[in-house]
Amino acid sequence: NAGVTQTPKFRILKIGQSMTLQCTQDMNHNYMYWYRQDPGMGLKLIYYSVGAGITDKGEVPNGYNVSRSTTEDFPLRLELAAPSQTSVYFCASSYSRNEQFFGPGTRLTVL
Amino acid sequence: QKEVEQDPGPLSVPEGAIVSLNCTYSNSAFQYFMWYRQYSRKGPELLMYTYSSGNKEDGRFTAQVDKSSKYISLFIRDSQPSDSATYLCAMSATGNTPLVFGKGTRLSVIA
């Protein structure tokens, strides 16, 4: 059981570039989430999904897009990277909303 | 007033000390309360999960919820250097609403 895996671990982007952060879970969880964590700011929810084909916005969705075509995968897309998107991104999954399992994170820097 | 308040620390204690970590909240609808532990450069992991008011004990860890005061605590007995991490509280109103996280308290246990 690998749990929640995220790729890449690190990435540096130039302003205006785009990229996709990958997230996969092998626990057959229906719920999946994307958070960003800035220093001293806690976790902020970007998008979440309650099942394949269903996604919804969280607290800070602007500048991001998601899709959920399978139970296992929940990629996060950044279309036009901006310095404000420099952060650590965590994907999580859960059977119920509360007991969430987190991936190891992706550290993104936008220069 | 922020929905969940948590003192960011840092908190530094000697090995063997009893540690008390706390969060206050403003939303009286919160019923589910969690503590996550996050080691440096890792994803958060669920440590304790309680529903409504009362205490829950797991080894050296005790979670306490006082809904009348809108105050939750995590106690760590006989603290160890391996407990050095950031501790995040999280809470939700129902099993179907997103978690709201505190900003985290950074704890260092000195040998």
Side-chain angles (χ1 to χ4, degrees):
Chain A
N1 235 5
V4 180
T5 56
Q6 292 183 240
T7 56
K9 286 186 170 54
F10 306 94
R11 184 73 185 266
I12 297 175
L13 280 182
K14 292 183 180 177
I15 294 171
Q17 285 185 320
S18 61
M19 77 164 293
T20 299
L21 283 67
Q22 301 291 348
C23 175
T24 300
Q25 55 95 4
D26 63 359
M27 296 174 281
N28 203 32
H29 287 161
N30 283 328
Y31 296 94
M32 294 188 76
Y33 316 82
W34 275 105
Y35 294 91
R36 60 178 287 172
Q37 187 176 41
D38 300 312
M41 296 302 292
L43 289 160
K44 295 194 174 178
L45 183 64
I46 305 171
Y47 271 96
Y48 66 98
S49 169
V50 301
I54 306 168
T55 62
D56 210 344
K57 295 177 181 178
E59 184 184 356
V60 290
N62 291 344
Y64 307 95
N65 277 301
V66 293
S67 59
R68 183 99 181 267
S69 56
T70 67
T71 300
E72 295 78 20
D73 300 305
F74 190 40
L76 178 72
R77 179 88 178 155
L78 282 71
E79 289 295 348
L80 288 169
S84 60
Q85 293 178 305
T86 294
S87 190
V88 182
Y89 291 85
F90 289 103
C91 177
S93 73
S94 63
Y95 175 73
S96 71
R97 277 204 189 248
N98 295 326
E99 297 176 79
Q100 297 183 17
F101 293 84
F102 285 80
T106 294
R107 290 184 175 272
L108 176 67
T109 302
V110 182
L111 299 173
Chain B
Q1 183 186 9
K2 291 196 186 304
E3 209 166 12
V4 177
E5 300 266 16
Q6 184 175 10
D7 187 334
L11 180 63
S12 186
V13 301
E15 183 176 357
I18 296 174
V19 176
S20 172
L21 304 167
N22 311 295
C23 287
T24 58
Y25 61 95
S26 57
N27 187 347
S28 58
F30 286 148
Q31 297 187 81
Y32 298 87
F33 304 93
M34 284 130 277
W35 287 95
Y36 283 82
R37 177 175 62 194
Q38 185 177 21
Y39 291 115
S40 182
R41 305 181 86 84
K42 301 286 188 186
E45 57 178 332
L46 182 63
L47 193 59
M48 299 287 281
Y49 175 30
T50 54
Y51 169 71
S52 195
S53 283
N55 293 0
K56 184 174 182 179
E57 192 173 317
D58 184 1
R60 296 185 295 111
F61 298 90
T62 299
Q64 201 170 73
V65 174
D66 182 350
K67 289 187 69 181
S68 62
S69 302
K70 298 191 184 73
Y71 188 89
I72 69 170
S73 300
L74 177 71
F75 297 97
I76 306 174
R77 289 184 300 281
D78 187 26
S79 56
Q80 302 296 309
S82 58
D83 295 326
S84 297
T86 296
Y87 290 80
L88 301 120
C89 63
M91 46 199 81
S92 71
T94 73
N96 292 315
T97 51
L99 289 182
V100 180
F101 284 85
K103 292 183 178 182
T105 299
R106 190 151 55 94
L107 170 68
S108 292
V109 181
I110 311 300

